[in-house]
Amino acid sequence: MAASSFAEMKAAGKRRVVPFTGLEEFGLTLFCCSMTEQESANQEAAAWKPGTIDIDPHRLKSARRKLLALTVSDEEGNRLLTEDQAAELDSVLAGILYEQASAHTSLRARSKNLPPASGEQTPTDSRSSADVPTSISSSTN
């Protein structure tokens, strides 16, 4: 059996498009499309503080908007949002879209400081233990 070629891999990995769920209250029908490996790698790294594996809250905000812009689509996989437009969405709607886009693209499962896509925590809840005080000191300065 011959090994598969790049052309065969690319054809097999056509853009996946799945409907977002839970949008009934908004009266919307939106779809989530997959990203390329390059987009996925850039997106994963976008939230980290440069030179570390720590999440930067300011970069995370931008990364959230970019993920929505990269994944929210029509049923054909045509992207519907820019990052600026994603920033203007209702926070509940954006949260629904972000959680499902994260799970669909597997970003949360692969990101170093982000919890798995189980819904137990949001990325903004994720902090390294070094950021959390282990005791409260009663000393004054």
Side-chain angles (χ1 to χ4, degrees):
M1 176 179 261
S4 296
S5 68
F6 173 72
E8 290 170 323
M9 286 186 278
K10 192 169 180 181
K14 66 181 180 175
R15 187 176 296 259
R16 294 173 295 113
V17 179
V18 298
F20 281 104
T21 61
L23 301 179
E24 297 79 16
E25 73 178 281
F26 300 98
L28 297 170
T29 302
L30 297 171
F31 295 83
C32 183
C33 66
S34 58
M35 299 183 290
T36 66
E37 169 54 24
Q38 182 65 50
E39 291 168 334
S40 181
N42 290 342
Q43 183 63 23
E44 184 177 347
W48 301 341
K49 291 180 184 177
T52 72
I53 59 169
D54 297 326
I55 297 295
D56 180 335
H58 300 292
R59 292 173 63 104
L60 182 61
K61 292 175 189 177
S62 176
R64 287 175 58 95
R65 291 187 299 265
K66 184 154 187 93
L67 180 64
L68 294 180
L70 288 169
T71 59
V72 175
S73 71
D74 63 17
E75 61 189 323
E76 301 297 319
N78 300 308
R79 294 175 178 158
L80 300 176
L81 296 172
T82 65
E83 289 180 57
D84 290 337
Q85 290 170 327
E88 295 180 29
L89 292 177
D90 174 85
S91 64
V92 173
L93 174 60
I96 291 168
L97 298 173
Y98 177 79
E99 287 298 317
Q100 292 179 50
S102 295
H104 181 69
T105 59
S106 302
L107 280 178
R108 290 185 69 188
R110 291 181 304 165
S111 294
K112 295 180 181 184
N113 281 0
L114 298 180
S118 65
E120 293 175 10
Q121 289 181 310
T122 62
T124 55
D125 294 334
S126 178
R127 297 189 325 185
S128 72
S129 60
D131 294 339
V132 179
T134 54
S135 65
I136 299 174
S137 173
S138 60
S139 64
T140 58
N141 292 339

